[in-house]
Amino acid sequence: MLFDISQVISGKPESLAKPRNTDKLQKRNDFVIDDVIIITASGDTWNISELWIGFELHEDLFSPNLSGTILIQESLNMLKNCPIVGQEQIKISFGTPTPDNKRIEKSFRIYKVGNRILDENGKRQTYKLHFISNEAIINQQDRCDYSYNNMTVLDMMSELFYKHFNQTPMSYGQVPTVGSHSFVLPNKSPFYCMNWLASRAINANNEEDCSYIFYQDVDGFHVDTLINLISQPTRPGLFGNYEYKISNTTQNDRPDTFKSVIENSSNPDETIFFEKSHDKLEDINSGMYGSSSFTYDITTGKYYTNTFNYFEHFSKLFPKKEKEISYNPLLSPVKNERFLKGEGNASYVNFYANASASHSEDIKIEDINNPEQTISQYDSFLKRKSLFQQINNNKIIIQVPGDSSRRVGHTVNIKIPISEPITKSTTDIFDPLLSGKYLITSLKHVVSRADYKTVIELSRNYLPTSLPTTSTKISG
């Protein structure tokens, strides 16, 4: 909980001074609030610009919904007099003050009232309103009980989306899908079926890329692949690249100087947090490095077998090196590594039952070097499972000054110093395995009366430098 009710219930909010009303950034964590308005089901408008204590807005690359909370302290008994019963809209417009005046402006559906507490006199109350994208409510009420015939997966996703959300924009990355399919959709919600279709899509530009995702940010809905997103150039944002400076060092301690953009704090967990590092036991058990599938087609009575090998797949996934970026596997290609030799496929075994009469079993793709190459649907499942495990392999969370231009799906560059003594012979003060380009997989805008911060989750499925294959032991 970023806003603790117990700290504000006995007095006024931290500061009821209005946020700065200017288009010029005057300090870090500066921000502008244009509107915080509640619109009731009957159409009444309540301006709560003087009543909120703080709010959060959350984007996630693996979620089709935006969600958030707002903490309110008031003596108008709005819960009764509005009333607030879960049918209301809340409109929020805020952003980092910049000359282009670009704001995050979005309306949400209030669906829950939580943490309601009365003060000791019973004259004032504090509570938290939970809100979510309006499309999430529609999604809960609709079902996809129909089929598509002889269409690409991307075309199916487009038609499905606009069938249920015809007033909402959706964009597509440069990731056309391969082949034509016929699918009977499961009788599930639209978002479920969008993800169901995404799990069956293969990138026509690179058949090794089966990492399609369907997600929402404050600009709208998107269909893209993890590999396409992480391959995009980095975006510096309002504050440039993110560089972490140890709080007890000075610029003179190091061979070169840099400006810290990641928030410094007496508590390192509030500044930079290594949420997850590689867990090889988990990776092996999940089939990240090697797996196999056995499929029985109940229509034809045939068996199909597929295997997946991490090193072979990775070499085809990133076939080219960018000008300044090298994509290297998360495992060292040492000679005694079983996965390097194509072994270890039994570490994760999948068994499927298939009915080819209800949908296409194989996809035919046109390839200049190999016309009408046949790709198994279940081969792509193994690749997809590994790719999602790879992106989940390492996660770093940083807290930076509020930046309303940031979105999930952006790539950023981060520099983290090495945790070892700096000497005259030190050629690089930044850790080559931790620093480099990352994909923003989740972010949270955290706004209080005092300041505005953005909490960013960073992930990637590669290393910017290759792991050693021979001894590099150092003394000390």
Side-chain angles (χ1 to χ4, degrees), residues 65-262:
N65 301 316
L66 300 179
S67 61
T69 59
I70 183 167
L71 190 62
I72 294 175
Q73 188 177 80
E74 47 93 355
S75 57
L76 303 174
N77 198 8
M78 290 175 55
L79 296 179
K80 168 183 174 294
N81 294 320
C82 275
I84 297 177
V85 296
Q87 293 179 290
E88 298 72 39
Q89 297 283 313
I90 182 168
K91 179 184 177 183
I92 301 176
S93 178
F94 73 99
T96 310
T98 55
D100 62 9
N101 200 33
K102 187 175 182 180
R103 304 281 195 263
I104 293 177
E105 184 174 345
K106 198 79 175 173
S107 293
F108 301 91
R109 173 72 172 265
I110 297 174
Y111 70 92
K112 178 182 176 182
V113 179
N115 303 91
R116 185 179 183 181
I117 300 177
L118 298 174
D119 71 358
E120 57 185 10
N121 298 318
K123 301 296 184 181
R124 185 174 58 194
Q125 59 183 335
T126 304
Y127 50 87
K128 182 180 290 187
L129 299 179
H130 297 251
F131 54 84
I132 197 167
S133 305
N134 285 296
E135 294 80 9
I137 303 299
I138 299 174
N139 177 67
Q140 293 291 324
Q141 299 171 329
D142 283 3
R143 288 295 179 268
C144 302
D145 54 352
Y146 44 87
S147 63
Y148 289 117
N149 296 308
N150 198 29
M151 297 173 63
T152 67
V153 172
L154 198 60
D155 287 343
M156 291 183 195
M157 295 180 73
S158 177
E159 187 167 314
L160 185 156
F161 182 83
Y162 288 112
K163 180 181 179 71
H164 297 272
F165 312 103
N166 59 359
Q167 302 298 319
T168 306
M170 183 172 69
S171 67
Y172 312 90
Q174 300 299 315
V175 285
T177 55
V178 71
S180 295
H181 304 259
S182 296
F183 286 132
V184 177
L185 297 179
N187 190 20
K188 300 286 188 178
S189 68
F191 287 170
Y192 179 97
C193 291
M194 288 289 287
N195 288 315
W196 187 88
L197 288 171
S199 69
R200 285 154 174 79
I202 299 174
N203 190 344
N205 297 326
N206 182 358
E207 67 184 56
E208 303 300 322
D209 182 10
C210 313
S211 59
Y212 280 80
I213 52 174
F214 166 63
Y215 68 98
Q216 184 185 23
D217 62 19
V218 295
D219 296 325
F221 288 86
H222 307 273
V223 175
D224 215 319
T225 75
L226 292 173
I227 301 305
N228 184 58
L229 289 173
I230 205 169
S231 300
Q232 298 300 312
T234 58
R235 305 192 188 193
L238 297 178
F239 301 98
N241 294 321
Y242 298 133
E243 301 175 359
Y244 179 65
K245 184 177 183 299
I246 306 301
S247 59
N248 62 352
T249 63
T250 63
Q251 292 180 343
N252 295 330
D253 292 332
R254 300 181 176 278
D256 59 354
T257 61
F258 60 90
K259 179 182 179 182
S260 173
V261 179
I262 299 177

Side-chain angles (χ1 to χ4, degrees), residues 374-391:
T374 299
I375 305 172
S376 170
Q377 185 87 60
Y378 295 95
D379 182 40
S380 69
F381 287 171
L382 300 180
K383 295 174 182 177
R384 179 179 175 85
K385 182 172 180 61
S386 175
L387 285 170
F388 276 77
Q389 180 65 23
Q390 291 172 39
I391 206 70

